[in-house]
Amino acid sequence: MKFKALSCCIVLLLLAGSAFAQWNIEYQQELQIAFYGITFPSSTVGYMVGSGGAIYKTEDAGDTWVEQTSPTTLSFFDVFFKSATEGWAVGDNGLIAFTTDGTNWALHDSSQVMTTLDINTVWFVGNSGWIGTDGGGVFLTTDNGATWTTPTTNVATDDVNELSFSDALHGYAALDGAGIMYTTDGGDNWILSALNLGPYPYSRTDIETIEAIDGTYGVASGWGAYILGPQPTILLVTSDGGQSWSNPMSPTYDYATYAYGYGITKFDDGHVIITGGYGGSAAPVLHASSPYTSWTTSTAFFGDDLRDIAAVPGTNRVVAVGDEGCVALSADKGQTWEFTYLPSPGTTGIADMVGIGKDLIIGVGAGSMTVSYTHLTLPTKRIV
């Protein structure tokens, strides 16, 4: 199945509570996928993965996507490509899949054998690779995935949400409830980082996403439980190779967002953007450039969780994916967006609908919401 980009300049108003928008209903109720991971190994080729074993590929920098044949119905949580054709995807219950031609996927011999815990993240630099699991597990390979071993030292006791390496030796790991750890020897030994979270006395910290900018800088984000009020988004920066991380906006938290930071990506010039969400609430997009001490926001554009984001190399384009099958594309580093696929805009609030002519339906509902559906076509294939 293929889907294409759809303008969202009017859709943004709908998310704000009142709008009139045009929709192609062909995929609206049929694309029942949550996308969890996305990567662009080149300026044109990208891959995204998600629930039910979903794998999609683009060859035009995210304008159109084609479903690939998956070797599983288990969910994928992350995907990483070493080139435009050689990649890995990981997920449910120790799931590991790979492709060497960018088209045909197979389960790895270690899939659901090396571990039966969920694998949340995968990263490669050359023939060296790393995966992180629930329960603090980390595995590494130096022979392009033929064999995997565990580190000599691993301080993680909670889920490893994401891994990111700047080269074959230096990398960071985002931990659920336990902070951040770093390595300087290719993942054989991991050290717990010192964190300065800023003015909020968090009772728990979930670091959901992390990006190694280079051997010096790194950016991490997530969410913290805060007993006395709203749970501000965690934003952390390191300038010493991961030894220490601090809130660059302390003590003001000027970006004022209260959602998970789920995805980070960097552009060729080092510019970084973060997005996420929580419980159906859209998170604004956070922006910064080196040395990552000053952050700005652009308007939230999707009323549900965005799980991952990837810059398209050599361009200003970036693609975000998330719950309900959302796929969004920006051509200006995340300032404005259009949707490749946008799920239902809160149709549970629609109170009545009326047909006008043979090809237009108007729906009205709570919050002064007005929605129009045009160009009605029946889906030819169902994705579940």
Side-chain angles (χ1 to χ4, degrees):
M1 180 176 284
K2 221 183 230 193
F3 47 82
K4 295 186 65 177
L6 156 74
S7 174
C8 81
C9 57
I10 300 178
V11 173
L12 289 174
L13 296 176
L14 176 61
L15 295 178
S18 177
F20 182 91
Q22 290 188 344
W23 293 85
N24 183 333
I25 201 172
E26 183 170 358
Y27 304 118
Q28 183 173 336
Q29 295 179 358
E30 297 301 312
L31 193 63
Q32 302 299 316
I33 298 171
F35 289 116
Y36 297 125
I38 184 169
T39 187
F40 275 87
S42 78
S43 61
T44 56
V45 177
Y47 301 83
M48 60 186 181
V49 298
S51 60
I55 306 172
Y56 279 76
K57 180 180 181 179
T58 180
E59 295 183 310
D60 55 14
D63 284 336
T64 60
W65 295 83
V66 177
E67 184 184 14
Q68 296 192 304
T69 301
S70 176
T72 182
T73 57
L74 296 174
S75 293
F76 287 114
F77 298 142
D78 196 19
V79 59
F80 189 94
F81 269 72
K82 301 168 56 176
S83 68
T85 58
E86 186 178 0
W88 297 77
V90 296
D92 267 344
N93 301 319
L95 173 64
I96 306 172
F98 71 99
T99 179
T100 57
D101 60 8
T103 300
N104 298 291
W105 290 80
L107 295 182
H108 191 273
D109 289 343
S110 296
S111 183
Q112 298 182 276
V113 176
M114 182 169 63
T115 179
T116 56
L117 296 172
D118 290 351
I119 303 177
N120 303 313
T121 178
V122 57
W123 196 279
F124 270 84
V125 177
N127 287 331
S128 297
W130 306 266
I131 60 175
T133 77
D134 282 358
V138 177
F139 296 85
L140 60 146
T141 179
T142 56
D143 55 13
N144 203 34
T147 59
W148 297 83
T149 60
T150 56
T152 300
T153 304
N154 176 18
V155 296
T157 58
D158 211 334
D159 300 350
V160 179
N161 289 327
E162 190 162 72
L163 293 162
S164 182
F165 279 72
S166 60
D167 55 53
L169 295 177
H170 300 87
Y172 311 134
L175 307 178
D176 203 55
I180 296 170
M181 61 183 185
Y182 69 101
T183 181
T184 60
D185 62 4
D188 188 40
N189 293 281
W190 292 88
I191 305 166
L192 198 63
S193 303
L195 305 188
N196 177 6
L197 296 171
Y200 291 94
Y202 295 107
S203 59
R204 176 184 171 87
T205 59
D206 294 344
I207 309 301
E208 297 289 338
T209 183
I210 201 161
E211 183 78 18
I213 308 301
D214 51 37
T216 300
Y217 288 105
V219 177
S221 188
W223 181 86
Y226 178 45
I227 298 173
L228 301 179
Q231 296 83 3
T233 306
I234 291 175
L235 176 62
L236 294 168
V237 173
T238 182
S239 58
D240 58 12
Q243 297 178 54
S244 62
W245 299 73
S246 61
N247 168 23
M249 302 294 282
S250 181
T252 58
Y253 268 72
D254 292 337
Y255 46 89
T257 174
Y258 300 96
Y260 279 92
Y262 275 129
I264 300 175
T265 193
K266 71 175 187 290
F267 293 86
D268 295 341
D269 62 0
H271 185 80
V272 168
I273 62 176
I274 301 173
T275 193
Y278 176 71
S281 298
V285 184
L286 308 179
H287 300 258
S289 295
S290 182
Y292 312 104
T293 55
S294 178
W295 290 76
T296 59
T297 65
S298 55
T299 305
F301 64 93
F302 179 58
D304 217 324
D305 295 350
L306 293 168
R307 299 289 181 170
D308 201 10
I309 189 169
V312 181
T315 74
N316 290 332
R317 293 163 70 94
V318 59
V319 180
V321 297
D323 288 357
E324 307 300 328
C326 176
V327 184
L329 171 67
S330 172
D332 55 11
K333 292 185 176 179
Q335 296 294 331
T336 60
W337 297 82
E338 63 179 7
F339 289 101
T340 299
Y341 174 74
L342 179 70
S344 172
T347 53
T348 54
I350 295 178
D352 197 11
M353 303 189 81
V354 61
I356 300 177
K358 66 177 183 178
D359 200 32
L360 174 63
I361 295 177
I362 302 284
V364 295
S368 302
M369 181 168 64
T370 304
V371 184
S372 70
Y373 296 105
T374 61
H375 310 299
L376 300 178
T377 53
L378 292 176
T380 57
K381 182 178 180 182
R382 179 176 177 84
I383 297 180
V384 294

